[in-house]
């Protein structure tokens, strides 16, 4: 008999049967897009922003909206952005073989070249008139969607991890150029996604910034935990395994109800049950699955932790064990934290970096698995390199 396929997916965007909840926010964002307005969707890492937008793209593509998706995570420079953005737009508005025809003449400062990629397929590259592309070249690329938009078609442009544009060297000029170009695109909606909540909120909600009030802001929180439990129960049922409500509750709690961890834990638990040939998920499968998941994430957390400045490491570790609203002298002494001004700066940076947030005035780590990792690592080797002052 063929073994059952693991019903859990994690890592990449998920849609269809692997996707649950998010109905209200999905409908609201589609409503904004239908009105040809722009939206910003922000939320912590691994909460499901890219998946939600993939669902939206799937639905709108079915209705004839031309949807373009681009992720800023892979972009290293302004030149890179111009090339990848133009390619992404052209790929959705013109057949590959005629992309060149479409692009020649549309650019005055950028020269499109059609070559052959490693896979033997036609590949578009761009060369720049100036040795280093700047605002003028950016403007030309940003004007492409309107120029290439098929007659009578609405368009949606999604830019994922949008806050990264700040790293492209143009500073606020990027935002100024983009705002001035896209405000003339009446039939095109722009959706900006990002996990650096603070950066994005400032970009779109601060009066001094070019994007001020140019988009409706949406925050993606955790899904309702009863829907998470139902999802787990249904996924196990799809492979003829029974998950009780009590064990589903335990899985939701252990994963902090974060969709990524819910699916990762589900995946490990499924393996454990399969390996023993079981038909019902036991608590022991979940305990083992949680350890396997923590182990699988360890390298990533360790290298991430190593990259943090020491004061941030100390604060993160303290908050993992004891969330707090006030860093009193006692608290700092207990957790080997440096002086208050250093702690305050570290806290500000951790907030800006979306590592910690404050809920009802209490700071805590956003990622529950990272918090767990720090608690465990803290027990194994106390970090006592800093002294109270
Ligand atoms: N609505 C959902 N239903 C089921 N699983 C989901 C959902 N949203 C996210 N996930 C799970 O979380 C994982 C990460 O989702 P996604 O990449 O969409 O998150 P993200 O917020 O874009 O993360 P990042 O900030 O790291 O880019 C998915 O691979 C999937 O396992
Ligand atoms: Mg994403």
């Amino acid at each position: 008999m063929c073994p059952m396929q693991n019903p859990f997916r994690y890592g990449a965007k998920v849609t269809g049967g692997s996707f649950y909840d998010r109905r209200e926010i999905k409908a609201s964002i589609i409503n904004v897009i239908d009105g040809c307005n722009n939206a910003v969707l922000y939320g912590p890492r691994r909460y499901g922003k890219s998946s939600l937008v993939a669902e939206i793209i799937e639905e709108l593509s079915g209705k004839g909206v031309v949807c373009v998706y681009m992720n800023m995570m892979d972009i290293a420079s302004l030149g890179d952005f111009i090339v990848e953005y133009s390619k992404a737009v052209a790929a959705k508005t013109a057949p590959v073989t005629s992309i060149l025809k479409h692009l020649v003449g549309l650019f005055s400062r950028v020269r499109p070249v059609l070559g052959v990629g490693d896979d033997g397929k036609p590949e578009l590259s761009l060369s720049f008139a100036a040795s280093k592309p700047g605002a003028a070249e950016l403007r030309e690329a940003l004007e492409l969607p309107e120029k290439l938009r098929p007659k009578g078609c609405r368009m949606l442009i999604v830019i994922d991890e949008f806050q990264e544009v700040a790293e492209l060297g143009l500073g606020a000029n990027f935002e100024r150029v983009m705002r001035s170009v896209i405000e003339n695109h009446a039939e095109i909606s722009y959706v900006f996604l990002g996990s650096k909540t603070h950066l994005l909120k400032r970009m779109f909600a601060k009066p001094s910034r070019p994007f001020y009030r140019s988009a409706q802001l949406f925050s993606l929180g955790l899904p309702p935990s009863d829907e998470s439990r139902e999802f787990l129960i249904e996924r196990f049922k799809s492979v003829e395994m029974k998950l009780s409500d009590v064990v589903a509750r335990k899985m939701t709690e252990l994963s902090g109800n974060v969709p990524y961890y819910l699916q990762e834990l589900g995946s490990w638990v499924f393996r454990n049950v399969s390996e023993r040939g079981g038909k019902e998920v036991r608590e022991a499968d979940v305990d083992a699955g949680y350890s396997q998941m923590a182990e699988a994430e360890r390298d990533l957390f360790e290298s991430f932790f190593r990259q943090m400045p020491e004061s941030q490491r100390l604060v993160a570790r303290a908050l993992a064990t004891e969330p707090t609203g006030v860093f009193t002298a006692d608290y700092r002494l207990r957790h080997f934290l440096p002086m208050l001004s250093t702690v305050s700066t570290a806290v500000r940076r951790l907030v800006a970096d979306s590592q910690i947030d404050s809920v009802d005035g209490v700071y805590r780590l956003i990622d529950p698995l990272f918090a767990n990792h720090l608690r465990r690592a803290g027990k194994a080797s106390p970090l006592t390199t800093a002294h109270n002052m």
Side-chain angles (χ1 to χ4, degrees):
M1 200 177 74
C2 221
M4 285 285 186
Q5 210 194 8
N6 196 319
F8 294 98
R9 306 271 169 277
Y10 62 98
K13 295 176 261 197
V14 293
T15 55
S18 295
F19 184 90
Y20 71 100
D21 183 45
R22 309 307 196 190
R23 282 177 295 275
E24 269 175 42
I25 192 166
K26 183 179 160 191
S28 305
I29 295 177
I30 288 183
N31 200 30
V32 169
I33 298 169
D34 280 344
C36 286
N37 292 309
N38 305 329
V40 176
L41 175 64
Y42 59 84
R45 297 215 60 183
R46 298 176 160 182
Y47 273 34
K49 301 172 294 296
S50 302
S51 299
L52 172 56
V53 97
E55 279 273 316
I56 291 174
I57 287 177
E58 219 168 276
E59 182 165 330
L60 293 180
S61 301
K63 292 184 189 160
V65 179
V66 177
C67 300
V68 175
Y69 171 89
M70 155 158 192
N71 194 340
M72 290 294 301
M73 259 334 189
D74 315 319
I75 303 297
S77 65
L78 182 63
D80 229 13
F81 175 83
I82 293 171
V83 172
E84 294 309 319
Y85 189 77
S86 307
K87 275 161 83 169
V89 172
K92 285 297 163 83
T93 46
V96 163
T97 44
S98 64
I99 284 177
L100 187 64
K101 203 176 84 209
H102 276 77
L103 291 183
V104 169
L106 288 176
F107 281 116
S108 63
R109 302 174 63 94
V110 183
R111 202 137 313 288
V113 184
L114 196 63
V116 179
D118 291 343
D119 54 2
K121 291 193 179 137
E123 199 180 78
L124 176 77
S125 61
L126 300 177
S127 67
F128 300 100
S131 60
K132 215 170 152 215
E137 287 78 11
L138 172 65
R139 179 175 291 278
E140 292 204 332
L142 293 172
E143 277 165 355
L144 276 184
E146 186 56 48
K147 288 182 173 167
L148 292 179
R149 185 168 62 85
K151 250 201 167 67
C153 279
R154 283 198 294 126
M155 251 177 114
L156 167 65
I157 310 253
V158 177
I159 308 186
D160 208 339
E161 300 298 350
F162 184 65
Q163 74 274 337
E164 301 302 316
V165 296
E167 307 296 319
L168 296 183
L170 276 189
N173 213 15
F174 187 105
E175 292 165 48
R176 259 191 294 280
V177 172
M178 186 157 193
R179 171 87 198 243
S180 72
V181 173
I182 71 174
E183 64 191 5
N184 296 318
H185 295 174
E187 300 294 317
I188 306 176
S189 282
Y190 290 82
V191 173
F192 306 102
L193 311 187
S195 46
K196 301 264 172 79
T197 299
H198 266 67
L199 291 180
L200 271 178
K201 275 213 279 206
R202 244 187 294 155
M203 217 183 230
F204 287 88
K206 215 173 151 200
S208 59
R209 299 289 285 266
F211 274 118
Y212 178 58
R213 290 205 166 169
S214 64
Q216 193 164 328
L217 271 68
F218 292 91
S219 153
L220 189 68
L222 292 171
S225 51
D226 55 341
E227 296 224 17
S228 299
R229 289 201 298 278
E230 270 169 38
F231 173 74
L232 290 172
I233 291 169
E234 176 280 319
R235 288 277 88 189
F236 277 110
K237 199 169 163 201
S238 74
V239 288
E240 291 156 24
M241 285 179 186
K242 186 170 166 14
L243 175 70
S244 70
D245 202 55
V246 174
V247 182
R249 193 176 295 269
K250 176 170 182 154
M251 289 181 70
T252 312
E253 278 166 15
L254 283 176
S255 58
N257 196 21
V258 174
Y260 181 102
Y261 294 131
L262 212 67
Q263 295 241 28
E264 184 177 7
L265 181 60
S267 174
W268 284 108
V269 171
F270 168 80
R271 279 203 224 177
N272 296 338
V273 180
S274 297
E275 268 168 28
R276 63 174 175 77
K279 284 280 154 218
E280 183 155 5
V281 181
R282 296 180 190 149
E283 286 210 29
D285 300 313
V286 176
D287 291 332
Y290 185 69
S291 302
Q292 287 156 324
M293 172 163 81
E295 189 55 31
E297 296 286 339
R298 199 177 63 178
D299 280 357
L300 189 78
F301 289 148
E302 269 178 4
S303 73
F304 178 67
F305 189 64
R306 266 199 304 274
Q307 284 164 23
M308 288 161 100
E310 183 174 312
S311 56
Q312 290 180 37
R313 291 208 296 255
L314 290 161
V315 171
R317 186 170 281 185
L319 289 175
T321 22
E322 190 187 351
T324 188
V326 211
F327 294 87
T328 59
D330 260 5
Y331 184 92
R332 282 181 281 130
L333 195 66
R334 255 198 320 281
H335 294 284
F336 306 99
L337 296 185
M339 61 188 188
L340 190 57
S341 59
T342 312
V343 169
S344 302
T345 308
V347 168
R348 261 201 316 278
R349 299 247 160 87
L350 288 167
V351 170
D353 214 26
S354 291
Q355 291 307 321
I356 64 173
D357 66 358
S358 149
V359 180
D360 300 329
V362 175
Y363 289 107
R364 50 156 207 128
L365 264 92
I366 293 177
D367 188 316
L369 259 284
F370 186 44
N372 175 60
H373 170 83
L374 292 184
R375 281 191 295 270
R376 285 175 23 162
K379 271 188 211 138
S381 66
L383 188 69
T384 52
T385 45
H387 300 281
N388 272 295
M389 298 172 88

